[in-house]
Amino acid sequence: MGFVIEGIEKAFQLILTLDKEIFIIVLLSLKVSLTAIFLSSLLGVYLGFLMAVKNFWGKNFIIATTNTLLALPTVVVGLIIYSLISRKGPLGVFGLLFTPSAMIIGQFILATPIIIALTHSAIQGIDKRVRSTTLTLGATESQSAWMVIKEARYAVLAAIITGFGRVIAEVGAAMMLGGNIKGSTRTMTTAIALETSKGEFGFGIALGIILLTIAFSINILLHYFQSKKVGN
């Protein structure tokens, strides 16, 4: 137990002294995940809305496929993207492998199905008369869509937060696509795995505490928006 206590003491020392390396790792993790979730939100909310209000051939199949992708393993995403952007892959010419951009692509693919599925569910829960009434009153399709999304805003925000929670804590795709390069592609999860394997428990615990704090904050936000949804 001695090394555990020592590791915890060192962890708090690193956090309280604002260790530069930890700060860089946390900042990169947030930058990658926030960029991925921003892009995922743009596409996911749009597609989730369309799936909820439009009828088209193959709709049920697409919904079932999207729901299946919710449990998509991160290592599978990493493997697929790795095969595409590696030097021998069709997109290898762009030199994306082992860069933050590659990690953003991986997290984008992980988060998008979550946002699509939860947005679809949220929009379906809105009274269909909201959209039909706005269109009858002369609103454009875009204005009507905005009114519907506004009605479901708390549930949509909860979908985005859930997607962020998924990607900030993932390790498989980040390790495979980023390569865990110090100062360049090392995130909290990949650094924890590396430092623990090296016996640097204090460093790993410090990052673990920060990651848990972020996860706790995400869950607080999620609970808040879910309660607002129920209240409405």
Side-chain angles (χ1 to χ4, degrees):
M1 285 294 293
F3 77 95
V4 176
I5 296 173
E6 184 181 339
I8 294 173
E9 290 176 350
K10 184 178 179 182
F12 279 104
Q13 182 183 355
L14 289 168
I15 294 171
L16 294 174
T17 56
L18 299 176
D19 181 80
K20 183 179 179 181
E21 188 173 353
I22 286 182
F23 179 78
I24 291 172
I25 291 171
V26 173
L27 192 63
L28 178 65
S29 298
L30 291 173
K31 179 181 177 181
V32 168
S33 295
L34 287 172
T35 302
I37 210 67
F38 173 74
L39 297 174
S40 297
S41 299
L42 293 178
L43 180 62
V45 172
Y46 175 71
L47 293 181
F49 172 81
L50 288 182
M51 286 169 57
V53 301
K54 300 289 186 180
N55 291 316
F56 50 87
W57 185 85
K59 178 177 178 178
N60 291 334
F61 174 77
I62 292 175
I63 292 173
T65 301
T66 301
N67 290 333
T68 300
L69 293 176
L70 295 178
L72 188 63
T74 61
V75 289
V76 173
V77 172
L79 178 62
I80 294 172
I81 299 175
Y82 185 96
S83 65
L84 293 174
I85 66 175
S86 63
R87 289 184 178 181
K88 295 182 179 180
L91 303 178
V93 66
F94 295 108
L96 294 172
L97 190 60
F98 302 145
T99 66
S101 297
M103 295 191 294
I104 289 171
I105 293 171
Q107 293 190 3
F108 170 83
I109 292 174
L110 286 169
T112 300
I114 296 173
I115 297 176
I116 292 174
L118 296 182
T119 299
H120 170 256
S121 177
I123 300 299
Q124 278 197 319
I126 300 300
D127 193 329
K128 290 180 172 56
R129 288 175 295 183
V130 173
R131 183 167 182 267
S132 60
T133 300
T134 55
L135 290 172
T136 301
L137 293 174
T140 64
E141 284 286 345
S142 298
Q143 291 171 331
S144 175
W146 174 247
M147 286 301 299
V148 173
I149 292 174
K150 189 177 178 181
E151 284 293 314
R153 61 189 180 278
Y154 294 118
V156 171
L157 283 171
I160 294 170
I161 292 169
T162 301
F164 180 73
R166 160 79 155 153
V167 298
I168 191 68
E170 76 86 21
V171 62
M175 186 77 78
M176 296 177 69
L177 300 174
N180 201 16
I181 302 170
K182 184 177 181 180
S184 177
T185 60
R186 185 166 294 173
T187 63
M188 285 185 283
T189 52
T190 60
I192 289 171
L194 175 66
E195 298 301 327
T196 302
S197 67
K198 289 164 53 180
E200 294 289 342
F201 297 106
F203 199 92
I205 292 171
L207 289 170
I209 291 171
I210 295 172
L211 186 57
L212 284 172
T213 301
I214 293 172
F216 180 74
S217 302
I218 290 169
N219 278 285
I220 292 294
L221 276 174
L222 183 58
H223 177 74
Y224 170 76
F225 286 121
Q226 286 176 335
S227 64
K228 295 288 285 186
K229 175 187 174 184
V230 173
N232 283 359

